[in-house]
Amino acid sequence: DAGVIQSPRHEVTEMGQEVTLRCKPISGHDYLFWYRQTMMRGLELLIYFNNNVPIDDSGMPEDRFSAKMPNASFSTLKIQPSEPRDSAVYFCASSLRDRGSAFFGQGTRLTVV
Amino acid sequence: DAKTTQPNSMESNEEEPVHLPCNHSTISGTDYIHWYRQLPSQGPEYVIHGLTSNVNNRMASLAIAEDRKSSTLILHRATLRDAAVYYCILRDVFGSYIPTFGRGTSLIVHP
């Protein structure tokens, strides 16, 4: 397996634009996590899914953020409208509950100007 | 969730052993201790985990205190490629496994 795949790796957008980050988890994993990492706040959990169902989105900062998982092999994190303070590295991770360890993608570095 | 406490940073010389400590005084009996590390410009990666006994793998060793209130990740011979942020987190074996990360320990390795 190629691991967790995120796209794009880098995204630069203007304030007010819609941004969509994509994630393909490892095949067979039943948990999917979205994280955001900044120097100020470290690695924060935004939302996680179990069997494609969102379980806890309490980490999503505002209504401008939304996440979907239409099937077991694909998830998106959307920011609309984007703001400069959304600039961060966004990570997707997946895991098998009974295996415990989570596998992370390479991340998407988002810059909102 | 039970929390962990780690030093902000540590330094080591190349080819020397490194002992990275983690305190988890409120650990419950069903909590596994997991370690991850994050290399520069990469996502975190799993290193090792354990419950009560010491554990070894090709990357590192995990020493767990007898009362389980602390643990130590041991890198037997540090290399420059081991320079990373190391995170110690707890996982409840009976609960949903939601990796929640603190600030971790930034390991600096000197040549």
Side-chain angles (χ1 to χ4, degrees), chain A residues 9 31 33 35 37-43 45 48 91 95 97-102 104-106, chain B residues 34 36 38 41-46 49 87 91-103:
Chain A
R9 291 294 308 278
Y31 276 82
F33 311 91
Y35 293 85
Q37 187 170 39
T38 61
M39 288 294 292
M40 289 292 293
R41 302 176 68 90
L43 195 58
L45 177 66
Y48 75 92
F91 289 103
S95 73
R97 186 185 185 283
D98 60 349
R99 290 292 298 276
S101 51
F104 283 74
Q106 293 283 67
Chain B
H34 283 242
Y36 287 77
Q38 185 173 19
S41 301
Q42 295 191 25
E45 63 175 347
Y46 166 81
H49 76 278
Y87 300 97
R91 176 217 167 190
D92 182 354
V93 67
F94 291 121
S96 297
Y97 177 48
I98 312 304
T100 304
F101 295 83
R103 286 293 190 167

Side-chain angles (χ1 to χ4, degrees), chain A residues 72-110:
Chain A
S73 60
F74 185 65
S75 176
T76 60
L77 178 67
K78 184 178 294 186
I79 308 172
Q80 166 64 16
S82 58
E83 296 183 3
R85 58 188 168 135
D86 302 331
S87 297
V89 181
Y90 291 80
F91 289 103
C92 174
S94 69
S95 73
L96 263 179
R97 186 185 185 283
D98 60 349
R99 290 292 298 276
S101 51
F103 294 83
F104 283 74
Q106 293 283 67
T108 295
R109 180 173 296 277
L110 173 65

Side-chain angles (χ1 to χ4, degrees), chain B residues 45-98:
Chain B
E45 63 175 347
Y46 166 81
V47 176
I48 199 167
H49 76 278
L51 183 62
T52 57
S53 303
N54 295 344
V55 183
N56 300 295
N57 66 22
R58 63 176 181 81
M59 291 181 70
S61 295
L62 176 60
I64 301 173
E66 194 169 338
D67 63 5
R68 299 204 335 119
K69 293 186 177 181
S70 66
S71 60
T72 302
L73 181 71
I74 303 167
L75 308 179
H76 295 285
R77 291 183 65 188
T79 69
L80 296 179
R81 288 176 295 178
D82 291 322
V85 177
Y86 288 79
Y87 300 97
C88 166
I89 64 177
L90 302 181
R91 176 217 167 190
D92 182 354
V93 67
F94 291 121
S96 297
Y97 177 48
I98 312 304

Side-chain angles (χ1 to χ4, degrees), chain A residues 18-90:
Chain A
E18 177 180 294
V19 176
T20 299
L21 311 181
R22 297 172 175 79
C23 175
K24 176 179 168 52
I26 293 174
S27 177
H29 281 190
D30 56 352
Y31 276 82
L32 184 138
F33 311 91
W34 281 101
Y35 293 85
R36 176 174 70 175
Q37 187 170 39
T38 61
M39 288 294 292
M40 289 292 293
R41 302 176 68 90
L43 195 58
E44 304 173 274
L45 177 66
L46 299 177
I47 185 172
Y48 75 92
F49 296 81
N50 178 219
N51 292 322
N52 312 338
V53 176
I55 303 300
D56 186 350
D57 65 355
S58 60
M60 298 284 261
E62 301 172 31
D63 291 345
R64 298 184 296 105
F65 286 69
S66 62
K68 295 182 179 180
M69 192 165 185
N71 56 63
S73 60
F74 185 65
S75 176
T76 60
L77 178 67
K78 184 178 294 186
I79 308 172
Q80 166 64 16
S82 58
E83 296 183 3
R85 58 188 168 135
D86 302 331
S87 297
V89 181
Y90 291 80

